[in-house]
Amino acid sequence: MTTRLSLLAAGLFAVAAAQPAFAQKQYGPGVTDSEIKIGQTMPYSGPASAYGVQGHVEDAYYAMINAKGGVNGRKIKMISLDDAYSPPKTVEQTRRLVEQDEVLAIIGTIGTPTNTAIQKYLNGKKVPQLFISTGAAKWDDPKNFPWTTQLYPPYQMEGMIFAKYLLKNKPDAKLGVFSQNDDAGKDYVKGLKDGLGDKAKTMIVKEVTYEVSDPTVDSQIVALKASGADTLFTMATPKFGAQAIRKVHELNWKPLNFVVSVSSSIKGVLEPAGKEASTGLLTALAAKTPTDPRFENDADVKEFKEFLTKWYPKGDIADGSTVTGYISAYMTVKVLEACGDNLTRDNLLKQATNIKPTEAPLLLPGIKISTRPDRYAPYTQMQIAKFDGKSWVPEGEVYNTDGPSQ
């Protein structure tokens, strides 16, 4: 009897000892029972300072979440430092965030050159570099850079989607391609050609590029018109996008003109180019335009407006960076929630790369965000839309590059 009681007691002690170990919280750097510390750099000054609003919106969103109790009882503390869109400054500030502030992760940093400058450093230290705001193809590289993920529609995907639209709606197009001579432009054009497949050789009649140092792009547009093209793929940043749209109109040229999403801002591109010149343009979109009357009664748009009014009254609802920051902060909270009490860097990366299809706020109907360990690109769907002189109107179905259209 004594032996049996001793064994029973020993067994109960083992179970009791195992219980706390099983329920034990697991924390990485920057995490306590009351706080989750994350970091980022933003261009609050310098040539890309207009995009700095994204960081302000994210900070305001976390303040709202914290006021509601935080994430699983923990408040989010975001340290957002100015890098002036200068890669050396990004490196300096990111090292400070990792080595001095000891953040759990770097989340939401803007820009291809800035993120490129810190990618090897962060991956070498196994620090998550999550939801970066750039659409370059290089970010979807789980094999070589497993700690880096993006949260922006990939440029190549957008090119592929326009190709799908063309093959379905204008398969006999004589296509002119106008693009910026850099990695972003090359990504867009590669996606376009990949989407067209064998037809790219016969469909594309002329390709021209421009440099960001060019004063105007008039000569390129004249050359494209002279090629006999009746369809135009315009890959340009806002300033040159507006110039190209206006020049096409001045030449009384009437091609089917697709402008990439980075030049689809009504306020920043189409209005400067002229509403008449812009009417009839096509683009590809993933998110709603909150100022569009068609969405004013949608619950997510109403919540977005209420958020800006209460938490970031300086925010411009028509600014695309405001929408991007809102979606980024929402998804960051979602992956932190999914971590539960296992707030290690490994588990955070696991959750960020295993996102089930999610209908995040302000996404267009049918557009979802998802990731897999073998595909970090968060978007595979976009909606072709046509500008009617006032707003972008959806044109046809949602196109999907990760399977059949849906």
Side-chain angles (χ1 to χ4, degrees):
M1 174 67 96
T2 302
T3 302
R4 291 213 314 261
L5 285 172
S6 297
L7 290 171
L8 179 61
L12 289 172
F13 177 78
V15 171
Q19 291 277 12
F22 178 79
Q24 187 176 4
K25 299 169 183 176
Q26 299 182 61
Y27 292 162
V31 181
T32 67
D33 284 346
S34 60
E35 185 178 82
I36 304 170
K37 193 190 302 181
I38 60 176
Q40 64 174 205
T41 64
M42 279 280 152
Y44 293 120
S45 64
S49 59
Y51 294 119
V53 66
Q54 185 170 322
H56 294 308
V57 170
E58 291 166 4
D59 193 47
Y61 190 94
Y62 300 140
M64 177 184 72
I65 294 297
N66 290 343
K68 296 178 180 179
V71 176
N72 298 325
R74 301 176 184 89
K75 302 293 178 69
I76 298 174
K77 180 180 179 180
M78 183 177 77
I79 304 174
S80 187
L81 304 178
D82 184 18
D83 66 7
Y85 208 68
S86 167
K89 189 72 172 176
T90 308
V91 171
E92 176 190 337
Q93 298 287 49
T94 300
R95 283 183 176 274
R96 172 189 154 179
L97 289 167
V98 172
E99 297 168 18
Q100 295 181 35
D101 297 309
E102 297 186 318
V103 297
L104 177 65
I106 300 296
I107 303 181
T109 295
I110 285 178
T112 298
T114 46
N115 278 291
T116 297
I118 58 176
Q119 187 180 28
K120 288 183 179 179
Y121 167 74
L122 293 174
N123 276 258
K125 284 190 164 291
K126 297 185 177 180
V127 177
Q129 181 186 15
L130 304 181
F131 297 158
I132 61 178
S133 191
T134 157
K138 64 190 292 182
W139 308 123
D140 186 12
D141 190 3
K143 182 179 179 180
N144 295 306
F145 295 102
W147 294 85
T148 302
T149 75
Q150 65 188 132
L151 191 63
Y152 200 89
Y155 304 145
Q156 283 191 17
M157 178 195 74
E158 191 174 338
M160 290 181 69
I161 281 173
F162 180 57
K164 281 175 172 272
Y165 177 88
L166 268 188
L167 291 175
K168 181 175 182 180
N169 296 281
K170 197 173 181 180
D172 59 346
K174 296 176 182 178
L175 179 60
V177 178
F178 172 63
S179 64
Q180 187 165 293
N181 187 25
D182 63 2
D183 288 344
K186 291 171 185 175
D187 274 356
Y188 272 112
V189 175
K190 184 180 187 303
L192 175 69
K193 291 180 176 179
D194 287 349
L196 292 175
D198 291 340
K199 292 209 69 175
K201 296 176 183 177
T202 55
M203 190 177 285
I204 297 174
V205 297
K206 183 76 172 178
E207 292 185 64
V208 299
T209 62
Y210 73 92
E211 305 291 338
V212 292
S213 57
D214 290 347
T216 75
V217 295
D218 287 0
S219 62
Q220 288 94 328
I221 301 303
V222 169
L224 284 163
K225 182 187 179 186
S227 73
D230 60 14
T231 305
L232 183 58
F233 180 79
T234 301
M235 183 282 125
T237 48
K239 171 187 172 183
F240 297 102
Q243 286 185 10
I245 294 165
R246 186 165 56 245
K247 188 61 179 179
V248 167
H249 181 67
E250 289 173 355
L251 292 172
N252 198 30
W253 184 23
K254 306 289 185 182
L256 177 68
N257 191 356
F258 177 91
V259 297
V260 297
S261 58
V262 295
S263 276
S264 66
S265 169
I266 295 173
K267 185 176 180 180
V269 179
L270 306 193
E271 288 183 0
K275 289 287 187 74
E276 185 181 355
S278 301
T279 299
L281 291 173
L282 294 178
T283 195
L285 302 174
K288 298 174 181 176
T289 303
T291 54
D292 192 322
R294 287 176 299 120
F295 301 128
E296 63 183 358
N297 292 319
D298 291 3
D300 57 345
V301 173
K302 287 182 177 180
E303 289 175 7
F304 177 59
K305 291 177 179 177
E306 290 169 2
F307 159 77
L308 288 179
T309 298
K310 183 173 181 180
W311 295 99
Y312 189 54
K314 293 191 299 182
D316 182 353
I317 193 172
D319 188 339
S321 292
T322 307
V323 173
T324 301
Y326 188 78
I327 295 173
S328 179
Y330 173 88
M331 292 304 301
T332 298
V333 169
K334 285 297 177 186
V335 296
L336 289 173
E337 287 175 346
C339 286
D341 286 334
N342 183 0
L343 281 157
T344 59
R345 286 171 170 169
D346 285 308
N347 193 41
L348 178 60
L349 178 68
K350 179 181 178 182
Q351 300 307 323
T353 56
N354 286 275
I355 299 172
K356 301 299 181 186
T358 300
E359 294 179 351
L362 300 182
L363 293 184
L364 286 164
I367 308 289
K368 297 178 182 179
I369 289 171
S370 67
T371 56
R372 301 191 307 255
D374 65 334
R375 175 183 57 74
Y376 282 9
Y379 291 93
T380 62
Q381 307 151 304
M382 293 185 88
Q383 170 75 65
I384 296 290
K386 179 181 286 187
F387 187 64
D388 67 357
K390 294 181 180 179
S391 61
W392 290 107
V393 180
E395 177 97 351
E397 79 243 61
V398 170
Y399 284 86
N400 191 352
T401 58
D402 195 37
S405 297
Q406 57 183 16

